[in-house]
Amino acid sequence: MNSAINLENVKKTLGSREVLKGISFTVERGDIFGYLGPNGAGKTTTIRILLGLLQASLGKAYILGQDINLSETRRKVGFILEIDGLYDNMTAEENLQYYLRIYGMPKARGSIDRLLDSVGLGDRAKDRVGTYSKGMRQRLALARAMVHDPEILVLDEPTAGVDPSGQIEVRQIMLDVAHKENKTIFLSSHNLDEVQRICNRIALINRGEIELYGELESLRRDMGGGGVVIETAEAIPEPLLAELKNLPHLGLHDAKERSLIFSPQEGTEVSDIVSLLAGRGVKIEGAARKEPSLEEMYSAILKEAEPP
Amino acid sequence: MRDIGPIITTSIRNNLRSKALTISFLGLALMLVVGAVLIFCLLFVAPALEAELPGRSELELYLGLIMFITCLFGVGININVFTFLPLTREKSRGVIESLLATPLEAKDVWLGKSLALFLPGLVLGEVFTLIALIAVNYIYFVPKVGFLITPWIAISSFVAVPLIFICLSLLVHLIGLTGRPATGNVVAQIFLPVIAALMINLGSHRILDITSWPFTLTNLGIAVAVGVVVILLQPRLTKERIVLSRQE
């Protein structure tokens, strides 16, 4: 079966600037794919290529195995762009009806009420969009993205400028859509916490190049370097610390008052370290593999990529 | 080409919901048309009818000018009023970009927006012209010389003028979509007074007989000239150019 989205060595030059320098990645069906990067990294250009708004200078972009420039392919994609593109003078209902007609589904009007209810705008359906708050506009934009029941949603900063409670609502809608309706979501966002909470795979773009790409959990494991953090009930006595330092297979990395950080050699498990410490009379409160947060990964990658 | 009906109807509805623009459009059109009709009737038609034997060709000339100007302003003012603001707003608010991300093509959006601008003006212009034709005839001509109308006046007013303005609407939208809406607006703002002044002078100074086929042909020629410019510029109409022009 074809992947949901597939970019193969896509390059894009605007004027004299090479905005995308040959990026490749795949989004599998059912993924909630986070697309990260600083301002000007090439996120919006990638999205525009995915939606057929810009043409790749080189390389290919496929949606469900088909050329994105075919109108039939675009019919399978719902989207939120950087600017919502809603008509302020029209009501929420009219905005959705308009898009239903554009997608050639005027008879699906009944679905509008359900959709507006699902994004919490049922009671404001007949109000002009110009009177909506930013959060309500984004929820309506999300409803518009789903109005023709697409297989893939391409969302550019859907929670940008939305207050925290609005962000939670939009995030919950995205999760519901992905899990209950089995849709693929391509989410471009600056909100790393949001991406960490809902995405299973990510790509990080910087200066037009993909710096990091893969399954979020395995990336976190890899970038954590296999570190182990042991939390203890009491401070570790100095003689014991000295003894642990002399056991190279444990790789004691750092010792704070009530926590020890190890980088164990291959073959040494968390349970081995726990048993050893327990055998020395250390009361252990917790033990876990150390995994960096997405924010830490993001900062580390960007710092690494900084020109000298 | 896809079904552009939704773009046309929604754009017309959206434009007309802007009270300031609608009032400007109707007010300006009404003022210009009523003003022009009154000036011609009071200054030229009424004195001509006071003569013992009013010249039929002279009366037809005045009627021709009245109908032509009425149609020109009725159809043209709409394009002048509605070109700039709605297109600027729709581009800056991402409406156009969103439409282009649907199965629609750039050409569909262009045609839809152009027709949405042209059609209300067409209806208004034709209705105004028809009212002017009937009113001037029944108030001034019927009692003395009977109902006046020549086929060339009718064709110039009801066919050639709308053709000129549909081409103009296509041109200003082509320029506005692929570049700055303000540039398209400048073309529209200059076009109407220039064409009005040119054709009125040609007619009133009898360089071209407004009731004759050469006048109609001249109007059709202007429509063709604008149409040719549209055809020449049409290769510029790509999604990429439209999307990137928003940032200019």
Side-chain angles (χ1 to χ4, degrees):
Chain A
M1 194 162 32
N2 292 315
S3 339
I5 296 171
N6 188 19
L7 262 69
E8 291 173 6
N9 194 29
V10 169
K11 290 186 183 183
K12 180 66 189 172
T13 306
L14 293 173
S16 58
R17 199 165 74 93
E18 198 175 18
V19 184
L20 298 178
K21 300 171 182 170
I23 62 167
S24 301
F25 60 78
T26 302
V27 180
E28 299 298 342
R29 289 182 192 228
D31 273 354
I32 305 184
F33 188 90
Y35 195 50
L36 307 167
N39 288 333
K43 296 194 300 295
T44 299
T45 302
T46 311
I47 285 179
R48 283 174 168 171
I49 287 174
L50 283 177
L51 295 174
L53 295 168
L54 297 181
Q55 297 298 311
S57 308
L58 207 73
K60 295 269 181 197
Y62 298 101
I63 297 266
L64 299 166
Q66 293 173 310
D67 184 351
I68 185 59
N69 293 308
L70 299 172
S71 64
E72 283 313 305
T73 312
R74 293 202 297 277
R75 195 177 289 281
K76 294 171 184 165
V77 183
F79 59 86
I80 294 182
L81 295 173
E82 213 175 358
I83 307 173
D84 59 41
L86 297 164
Y87 276 102
D88 283 1
N89 278 344
M90 296 185 345
T91 66
E93 209 173 61
E94 287 169 340
N95 267 284
L96 296 189
Q97 274 167 5
Y98 180 38
Y99 272 80
L100 269 184
R101 288 176 66 200
I102 283 173
Y103 283 108
M105 306 163 69
K107 287 180 183 162
R109 281 185 173 193
S111 63
I112 289 177
D113 294 339
R114 280 198 305 277
L115 205 50
L116 286 172
D117 282 337
S118 74
V119 296
L121 291 172
D123 56 337
R124 298 288 303 269
K126 295 196 186 302
D127 291 351
R128 288 196 181 185
V129 174
T131 65
Y132 280 19
S133 68
K134 175 75 179 166
M136 290 165 73
R137 291 183 75 102
Q138 288 301 83
R139 279 186 279 149
L140 178 59
L142 199 51
R144 187 195 60 191
M146 298 186 291
V147 76
H148 57 297
D149 196 24
E151 291 178 48
I152 298 171
L153 292 174
V154 176
L155 311 176
D156 193 359
E157 302 276 358
T159 55
V162 179
D163 64 30
S165 59
Q167 286 184 18
I168 294 168
E169 285 169 3
V170 172
R171 199 182 300 150
Q172 193 52 51
I173 296 166
M174 288 192 283
L175 280 171
D176 287 348
V177 167
H179 296 146
K180 292 181 188 162
E181 298 180 34
N182 201 27
K183 297 196 190 302
T184 306
I185 297 183
F186 181 90
L187 171 69
S188 164
S189 180
H190 280 302
N191 189 334
L192 301 176
D193 178 54
E194 177 177 275
V195 171
Q196 185 166 323
R197 280 168 192 265
I198 69 172
C199 295
N200 61 320
R201 284 154 65 82
I202 63 158
L204 169 59
I205 184 169
N206 185 33
R207 294 196 184 95
E209 287 174 291
I210 299 291
E211 302 278 2
L212 186 70
Y213 161 59
E215 206 170 316
L216 181 56
E217 284 312 310
S218 69
L219 289 172
R220 289 179 68 190
R221 261 199 311 276
D222 294 349
M223 287 193 74
V228 174
V229 181
I230 306 284
E231 303 285 343
T232 59
E234 292 155 4
I236 311 290
E238 277 301 322
L240 179 55
L241 272 178
E243 186 193 340
L244 293 173
K245 278 178 191 167
N246 287 329
L247 297 172
H249 68 285
L250 296 185
L252 181 62
H253 190 297
D254 196 8
K256 288 174 185 158
E257 199 187 338
R258 292 198 301 174
S259 74
L260 298 167
I261 301 170
F262 298 91
S263 295
Q265 287 176 358
E266 216 175 301
T268 305
E269 297 298 325
V270 179
S271 56
D272 298 336
I273 303 171
V274 170
S275 313
L276 191 142
L277 291 172
R280 302 287 192 282
V282 177
K283 287 180 185 167
I284 294 168
E285 287 200 328
R289 289 238 171 235
K290 183 181 177 292
E291 287 178 353
S293 67
L294 185 54
E295 193 175 302
E296 287 166 333
M297 288 163 65
Y298 181 91
S299 307
I301 296 279
L302 292 190
K303 203 170 175 183
E304 216 171 85
E306 262 177 26
Chain B
M1 198 175 74
R2 317 220 138 248
D3 176 17
I4 58 171
I7 302 181
I8 298 173
T9 51
T10 304
S11 299
I12 291 175
R13 193 166 46 178
N14 200 47
N15 284 349
L16 295 179
R17 274 186 187 173
S18 171
K19 282 181 190 159
L21 289 183
T22 308
I23 290 168
S24 307
F25 160 53
L26 290 173
L28 265 173
L30 212 60
M31 258 168 41
L32 285 167
V33 167
V34 172
V37 172
L38 281 178
I39 287 170
F40 273 96
C41 286
L42 297 177
L43 295 183
F44 302 105
V45 176
L49 283 168
E50 280 167 15
E52 208 166 300
L53 279 172
R56 201 177 167 88
S57 67
E58 191 183 0
L59 295 178
E60 278 176 351
L61 166 71
Y62 295 142
L63 180 67
L65 282 168
I66 289 171
M67 284 176 65
F68 185 76
I69 290 169
T70 305
C71 199
L72 202 68
F73 286 145
V75 183
I77 281 297
N78 184 47
I79 294 174
N80 279 39
V81 171
F82 282 113
T83 304
F84 179 59
L85 203 58
L87 192 56
T88 305
R89 206 185 278 157
E90 289 191 13
K91 277 187 89 171
S92 66
R93 292 183 183 174
V95 173
I96 301 287
E97 193 172 340
S98 293
L99 287 175
L100 294 172
T102 67
L104 293 170
E105 299 299 337
K107 197 167 68 176
D108 303 328
V109 175
W110 170 55
L111 287 175
K113 292 284 168 194
S114 302
L115 286 171
L117 188 64
F118 167 71
L119 290 174
L122 174 72
V123 172
L124 195 79
E126 304 278 82
V127 169
F128 276 176
T129 311
L130 209 61
I131 291 170
L133 169 72
I134 293 168
V136 172
N137 262 295
Y138 279 96
I139 294 170
Y140 292 102
F141 301 154
V142 170
K144 290 205 169 177
V145 292
F147 197 94
L148 291 184
I149 176 84
T150 68
W152 295 116
I153 292 177
I155 295 171
S156 294
S157 304
F158 291 116
V159 179
V161 170
L163 276 177
I164 291 174
F165 282 104
I166 179 66
C167 290
L168 180 68
S169 183
L170 288 168
L171 178 64
V172 297
H173 274 89
L174 189 53
I175 296 170
L177 281 170
T178 57
R180 291 181 186 173
T183 314
N185 187 47
V186 168
V187 173
Q189 298 295 345
I190 292 171
F191 190 87
L192 181 63
V194 167
I195 287 296
L198 176 73
M199 300 316 281
I200 291 167
N201 275 298
L202 286 177
S204 61
H205 292 98
R206 294 180 188 271
I207 298 166
L208 269 179
D209 181 0
I210 205 163
T211 62
S212 68
W213 65 265
F215 185 79
T216 306
L217 201 64
T218 307
N219 279 291
L220 290 173
I222 293 169
V224 170
V226 180
V228 167
V229 177
V230 170
I231 291 167
L232 290 175
L233 290 179
Q234 214 207 331
R236 288 169 56 92
L237 190 76
T238 61
K239 287 188 177 188
E240 182 151 331
R241 200 180 278 271
I242 296 172
V243 168
L244 295 176
S245 72
R246 187 171 71 81
Q247 291 150 339
E248 279 177 6

